[in-house]
Amino acid sequence: MIRLITREHTLRNRSPVMFGWTGKFLHVNLNKTKAVANRYEGSIARNYLGGRGFAVKILWDELRPEIDALSPENKLVFAAGPLTGFALPSSGKMVVAAKSPLTGGYGDGNVGTLAAVQMRKAGYDAVIVEDKAKKPVVLLVQDESAEFLDGKDLWGLDSFKTEEKLREIYGKTAGILCIGQGGENLVKYANIVCQGGRAGGRPGMGAVMGSKNLKAVVFSGSHELPAADPKTMQTLGGDGYREILTKPNYPFWKRQGTMMTIEWSQENSVLPTYNYSEGVFEKAEKVGGFAMEKIKVSNRGCPQCNMTCGNIVKGSDGKEAELDYENVAMLGPNIGLGNLKQVATLNRLADEYGLDTISLGNVLGFAMEASEKGFIDRNVAWGAFKPTKDLIDDIAHRHGTWGNLLADGVWSASEKIGRDSSKWAMHVKGLEISAYNCHSTPAMALAYATCSIGAHHRDAWVISWEVKTGREGYNAEKVDKVIELQRIRGGVFESLTVCRLPWIEVGFELEWYPRFLQAATGLEMGWPLLNVIADRIFNLTRAFWVREYGKKWSSDLDVPPARWFEEPLKKGALKGSKLDRGKYNSMLQMYYRKRGWDTRGIPTRSTLKSLGLDDAARQLKRVNLSD
Ligand code: SF4
């Protein structure tokens, strides 16, 4: 079924051994079927850590500005951090990144996967995939070898079947990442899938992979990871895992994982419902954590994690599906569907096709509202299971007018549909908003609006703190909290690359991470220094957006959709709530000032220089940087 096309691999620039990091990037050119491993400068590791830090640095340095994200010129980066692959809590993660076809800006996602562990054991901190294969291929990276295998027989298969076939050949422990039909058909929110439905890369990383004719990547490594202090590493790892088990929230977390958030969101009127027009759902109980427990069959999770949070249930078609808060909220309440088994089936279908479940639920909510208002001639009513399933099929294959139009995301769809649909196209910078309704939570709205990839909660999930401490204010304390979380979560965790959930959900203390880092790398890097690194990464990410958007960049891009400002909630305890536009804009300007950005949201020259981003300051001259 799979045969070898070519094999070539060389190693350049030998330099002293580093600890923690493998010290090597692998550049793979799919068109030339060539792979070259390079040792990179130690300063890159110290200044950018890994994961997102490496990804944005590589894309900034290597991409020509304003390329078409789906052209061969784009590059797809798989990047891990200095903790990835060690026996440390929740460290089996990697970042997949590229210029996003959905947003036109910086795009990435993290994925918990054996591929992260195996890529590092094969000897690489990052693999950079360039150009486009002449026909469908599977990239196999095994230690010092890279092979380009014929992927013709896998093209057209869903992600589950693709992985199954590759696993038959490469075994249970291989790290496999693949795309489904969504990525092949360049759906702009197609993601990358692994391990039977774990997925990452919301802003179209699967579409970038599809545009390169790359059906799958298989990593398999046999090297020991180079720890500076292996003994301490072993002791600390064991202590860390045991510490997590002692946390009071741990037993309930194991029962429900993030699914408990359905009930929390409902109680607090922030559950995305009927395309974010409401914050409470009349059938929330039917799709909540306790309803899930009744049909749960097992847990699944990322490698190196003892908090395994994927809840496995059987859907209405009998197939297994993995449920978490985001995918249930978006494919349940947000589309008016109150049957958990049917929600599970839609989730499974999305994972098979390799479509991001958050964006998909958001797009479907938009389509249902457009259908209700008579803006599109496709009949898809709120909560109607079969028409929804049919529409997902059409989107994944870009079938028909609406399948094709909705495959480009809500920003593009609203521009084509016109009328007032942009007011309820729920995105920021083109990335569909994830599962929190922010009519009554200005800090969370700011977090969405300023996130590195468009509207996602990953960088700063500030909503739980905001609900606890007071929703009303648009003040400095909220701005500071958003920045603090963006540093810890979006900067440090995404670059180390470790999961944020042990800290957030069971209270695994932040002090563990510098200790892990020192055992791995030998470097003493406390949180003050890590926060500076996080700022460097965050500012380079923002510079990437500005370089891509050029003169089209404006602070309007950091503002959530009009619905939250203009259409108050009609139901629930917070009936009548909406955001205040004037206060929001003042808070945004305060955020810019604290970040060292100008009134347009562009880092000033001195901010960039203070972080060592002189090249960004030079390249952004054309947008007239402020001092
Ligand atoms: S807590 Fe969940 S998402 Fe995080 S590493 Fe564990 S299984 Fe993965």
Side-chain angles (χ1 to χ4, degrees), residues 379-458:
N379 188 6
V380 51
W382 296 109
F385 178 64
K386 175 76 172 55
T388 305
K389 216 165 155 274
D390 292 344
L391 186 54
I392 296 174
D393 289 337
D394 287 350
I395 289 171
H397 295 97
R398 285 187 172 272
H399 280 162
T401 312
W402 301 116
N404 193 34
L405 184 131
L406 294 167
D408 287 339
V410 295
W411 191 6
S412 164
S414 71
E415 279 179 350
K416 288 183 183 130
I417 290 170
R419 298 193 254 181
D420 71 346
S421 64
S422 66
K423 293 190 174 183
W424 37 272
M426 303 305 290
H427 70 93
V428 174
K429 301 184 199 71
L431 184 66
E432 287 78 18
I433 294 172
S434 58
Y436 297 95
N437 190 334
C438 297
H439 276 89
S440 62
T441 51
M444 190 64 218
L446 179 70
Y448 274 140
T450 56
C451 170
S452 304
I453 59 168
H456 194 46
H457 57 284
R458 189 179 41 182

Side-chain angles (χ1 to χ4, degrees), residues 90-93 112 198 253 300-310 499-502:
S90 306
S91 62
K93 293 250 179 192
R198 299 196 79 75
W253 172 264
R300 196 183 287 158
C302 310
Q304 321 284 37
C305 179
N306 65 345
M307 289 179 50
T308 48
C309 66
C499 180
R500 62 199 176 265
L501 295 175

Side-chain angles (χ1 to χ4, degrees), residues 15-75:
S15 71
V17 176
M18 299 163 89
F19 291 108
W21 296 278
T22 69
K24 281 185 288 172
F25 292 158
L26 182 70
H27 277 82
V28 177
N29 188 301
L30 294 174
N31 182 38
K32 297 183 181 146
T33 58
K34 195 167 180 159
V36 179
N38 280 299
R39 289 203 180 272
Y40 61 84
E41 297 285 327
S43 59
I44 305 265
R46 290 190 298 277
N47 289 332
Y48 294 91
L49 289 180
R52 170 178 275 177
F54 281 175
V56 69
K57 172 72 175 147
I58 290 165
L59 293 172
W60 175 267
D61 287 346
E62 298 190 12
L63 284 193
R64 191 171 64 76
E66 298 181 45
I67 55 159
D68 175 352
L70 294 176
S71 73
E73 280 193 89
N74 203 358
K75 298 192 183 191

